[in-house]
Every structure is written in C-alpha cells, then in structure tokens.
Amino acid sequence: MAPDDPRHQPPPHRARPHPPTAAKASVLTAPGIPHLLVLVVLCFSGFALLLPVTPQWAVHGGADEFGAGLVTAVLMASTVLAQLLVKSALRTLGWTRTLALGALLLGLPAPVQAVSDSLWAILVTTGLRGLGFGIVTVCGSTAVAMLAPRERQGAAIGLYGLAVALPQMLLTPAAPALTAAFAPPTIIACGALPVLALPFTRPLGRAVDARAAAPDPERVPGAGAASSATVLRRIRLPLCTLLLVTSAGGAVLTFTPQFAGRAALAATALFVFTATAAAARWGCGVLADRFPPRPLSCALLVAACAGLALIAVAVRSQQPLAVALLTGLVLLGAAYGGLQSITLVQALDQAGPENRHTTSVAWNIGYDAGTGLGSLLLGLAAQSATFSTGFAALSGALALMALGVLSAGRRRSKGSGQAPSDAPRRGARHHRPKKHMHDPNGSS
C-alpha cells in the first residue's frame, strides 16, 4: 500500500500523553527558548522599523508609486525564495551558522541602504534583507516547535508569536513619525538591529541540535519525513484559513492611511489592530493547549467576518465612522493574531513531528502570500469600486471559510464513526504507521 494512501494518513489531531506535571512545565525556562525569543525580537525590530520606511525612502529618491510598491514586492519575493532554501542551508551550514547568516543578511544591508536613496540600491539591499528575513522566519517557527516543552507547544508558539508581534505593534506605526522627527538615513541605519542577535545564535543552535539528537517521544520508530505534497494535503485546511485571515490583515496594514482619512485616526487604528493581534496571538496559543482547534478557528473566523463587515460599513463615506472602524479592527485583530497561533499548532500537529521543517516553510509562505494577496486584491477593489466593497468581499470569503472548517469537522467525524478527531490533545496517542527515509538532519 502506498505511503500516502488515505488509510495511512495520521488523524488530523493526535492526542498526546498528558502527565500530571506537564501543565506545570515552564515555557520560558525550556532550553533555547529565551535565546530564541531575544533573537526574534531583535530581528523583527529591524524588519518592522524599515517596512514602511524603505518605500518612503525610495519615493524620496524620485521613485513613483510603482517603484515604492516594487520595493515591497522584492522584499516578499526574496523572503519566499530564502524560505524554500533554508533546509539546504541547515544541512550544509548547521543551525548556528544558518541563524547567524539570517541575522547578518537582515541587518547589515540597512546601513548601506541609508547611504543612497537610488531605487536600484534600495532594491538590492531590500532583496538581501528579504533573504535574511526568510531564514529567520523559517528557523524561528521550526525551532519553537522543536524546543517547546511537551504539552506546552501552543503556549510556546503563542509566546513566540508575541515576540514577533510586539516589534510590529510598536515600531511599524511609529516609523513614519520617527522619520519625520529624525533624518530618514538615521532611522534606516537602525535597521541593523538584527546584527545584535549574533551572540544568541550559538546557544540557540546548540539547543536545537541537542533537541534534534535526543529521542523524540512524538516520533514513531522508523518514521521518516513525508513528501511535501503529502504534508500539504494534510495541512491544507489550516493553510487556507491562514491565507484568508492574513489577506484581510495585509489589506488593513497596507491601506489604513488611505481609508482612515485623518492621520490621528489612522495611527490609532493601526495601533489598535496590531495590539489586539499581539495579545490574541499569545492568548490563543495558550488556549490551543486546552481546547480543540476547530471550534476556536470557527469562532475567530466569525469574529473576522463581523469585523470586516463593520469596517466595510465604517469606510463607506469619506469621513469614516471611528467607533465602528475601531470595533471592527479589534474583532479582526483578534482573529488575525489568534489564527496565526492556532493554524501553526494545528498544522504541526496534523503533519507530524518528522515534518516540522516542511510545515514551517509552508506556513510561512502562506502567511507572506496572504499578506501580499490581500494588499493586491483590496487595491484592485478600491480602484474599480470602493474600499467598502473590498472589505465586504473579504468578509464573505471568511464566512465561507468558517463554514468550510465546520463542515470538514463533521465529515471527518461521520467518516470515522468516532468523536471528532480534534479533541483536546490528551489521553492515549494514536499510533501512526511506519514510513521509510529517515531524515538525518532531525530538522524536519
């Protein structure tokens, strides 16, 4: 029977042993986790600071709107390219050197970019920074899955998500004001912050190597990594959920200054959205250890649908309704942040521990693709109709996704003749069939 025969697929959520002391395991004191969190905060601080500033620097140098948009496009394209190559880098360089390479590529081009506002110079340095960002994102999400204490994977992923979201919450909305208060090259040079993460790459790399070499109670003896196509089939539902919710989030992050009208309202709206997302990403990671992921996903998708509908109503006129807009952004921000943690926990659980790396790459590409897709689609909708029409369409898409998640759970329950397979992860573990081709790197 073929390895990817449907009867050989693991259940969508495998229950795990739940010893009485597991709930007391500390996430912050787990080996490698503190180093990972510091590295992520430093790397994402440099990224978040330059995200709105670099396109503005290109315009300062004479680029038009297309040139400014091309900067972000190059950043995302090089990020995805690096994400596809991380596994080869880990195999060749090892964890410590790969992490160091990511931090250097993300940080060192920033001072060079500050020297010249030529579009070509900006595109080259942005492309290098995207390569570093792609390495950091894949290594970060893979490392947190490997280092998380047993039965605390959701809490660890939530804490990792908070470390990712805090710099974006604080620095991305503040970046335009900082460039107005100081010379733009000074702020751009501060994008070298990821270089400060270099001292943490060695202890983090050692912790990941030690965890990879240790016996993994989650692995079935003899099990090897599945093909990428098989992994994608297993995790297609959380990936589709992630793609849609990050499309909505990317649309908000890109176009808030345009549809909010007043600068004060735009700044408040961005802060409310990013702050809610940061809190939800942390909190929903903790909840993912205690409750089934499917009801949580459905509830958050409904919240996103309602939030987008409120935003659509709020921006129908040239003077947006502030209360409706901010309420809608709170609901959408909760879904945007919460579903990032839940879909990553869900995807890692469905794919299996031997496929961590492939899952991490797919999740990160889904996140980046969703962000770019949402910006593109809302821009087209605003050009051909209105922002309100675009947000209403996104609301409808998320409502359909909620129905799809709900119906998928019912189909699996009826097909197996058992209780839904996404019950809280405790109790006896379902054994998965053995496969061949063991991954020698232990990084999958």
Side-chain angles (χ1 to χ4, degrees):
M1 194 173 292
D4 57 349
D5 187 286
R7 290 168 289 179
H8 277 226
Q9 300 304 314
H13 292 274
R14 298 176 302 283
R16 302 175 184 170
H18 188 73
T21 59
K24 299 179 181 179
S26 174
V27 173
L28 276 173
T29 59
I33 292 290
H35 303 101
L36 173 63
L37 295 178
V38 174
L39 180 141
V40 164
V41 167
L42 289 171
C43 288
F44 273 82
S45 292
F47 177 81
L49 186 63
L50 264 61
L51 189 62
V53 173
T54 298
Q56 183 182 350
W57 184 232
V59 172
H60 180 274
D64 56 13
E65 287 78 7
F66 176 77
L70 190 61
V71 172
T72 302
V74 167
L75 179 67
M76 290 296 101
S78 59
T79 295
V80 171
L81 176 63
Q83 289 167 344
L84 294 171
L85 299 175
V86 169
K87 189 168 188 177
S88 297
L90 288 171
R91 186 183 298 113
T92 304
L93 303 175
W95 271 90
T96 297
R97 291 176 181 173
T98 301
L99 287 165
L101 178 64
L104 288 172
L105 284 172
L106 183 56
L108 284 183
V112 178
Q113 187 176 108
V115 173
S116 172
D117 59 5
S118 163
L119 180 59
W120 286 108
I122 291 172
L123 291 177
V124 170
T125 52
T126 296
L128 291 173
R129 294 184 65 250
L131 293 176
F133 186 63
I135 292 172
V136 169
T137 53
V138 171
C139 286
S141 53
T142 304
V144 73
M146 296 179 69
L147 298 172
R150 293 180 64 192
E151 295 302 322
R152 300 302 306 279
Q153 186 178 74
I157 287 174
L159 195 59
Y160 170 81
L162 182 63
V164 168
L166 278 177
Q168 295 174 311
M169 178 186 78
L170 298 174
L171 295 177
T172 299
L178 290 173
T179 55
F182 303 94
T186 303
I187 304 302
I188 294 172
C190 291
L193 280 171
V195 176
L196 299 179
L198 284 177
F200 302 96
T201 58
R202 182 179 293 274
L204 175 56
R206 287 176 174 173
V208 176
D209 287 336
R211 182 65 185 86
D216 190 345
E218 293 294 312
R219 284 182 182 266
V220 175
S227 68
S228 297
T230 300
V231 174
L232 290 175
R233 282 198 298 272
R234 294 177 187 174
I235 65 174
R236 61 184 179 273
L237 196 60
L239 283 187
C240 289
T241 302
L242 177 72
L243 185 73
L244 278 178
V245 79
T246 52
S247 293
V252 167
L253 291 171
T254 301
F255 291 106
T256 294
Q258 284 91 326
F259 64 70
R262 303 186 302 276
L265 180 58
T268 302
L270 278 173
F271 179 78
V272 165
F273 178 74
T274 53
T276 306
R281 194 165 180 180
W282 181 23
C284 287
V286 175
L287 291 177
D289 285 330
R290 303 178 182 178
F291 299 100
R294 184 167 290 111
L296 290 173
S297 296
C298 285
L300 289 171
L301 284 168
V302 170
C305 177
L308 286 164
L310 275 174
I311 295 170
V313 171
V315 301
R316 288 181 63 183
S317 63
Q318 291 185 347
Q319 293 296 326
L321 304 173
V323 174
L325 177 61
L326 295 178
T327 303
L329 288 172
V330 167
L331 290 171
L332 179 61
Y336 177 71
L339 283 170
Q340 287 176 47
S341 289
I342 289 173
T343 54
L344 182 54
V345 171
Q346 195 175 18
L348 288 166
D349 198 37
Q350 289 178 348
E354 65 277 7
N355 298 301
R356 288 187 184 111
H357 179 82
T358 302
T359 304
S360 176
V361 171
W363 187 91
N364 278 287
I365 290 177
Y367 179 96
D368 294 329
T371 301
L373 183 64
S375 302
L376 176 64
L377 292 179
L378 188 65
L380 290 173
Q383 186 175 4
S384 59
T386 62
F387 281 118
S388 180
T389 302
F391 281 120
L394 281 171
S395 178
L398 283 160
L400 291 176
M401 190 70 230
L403 292 174
V405 170
L406 188 62
S407 63
R410 289 177 176 173
R411 286 198 304 269
R412 286 174 181 169
S413 177
K414 291 178 180 179
S416 62
Q418 299 173 355
S421 57
D422 62 342
R425 294 171 292 169
R426 55 178 177 263
R429 182 183 179 206
H430 296 280
H431 291 285
R432 296 167 47 235
K434 295 183 180 181
K435 295 182 182 179
H436 48 280
M437 296 178 61
H438 178 66
D439 181 4
N441 293 311
S443 62
S444 54

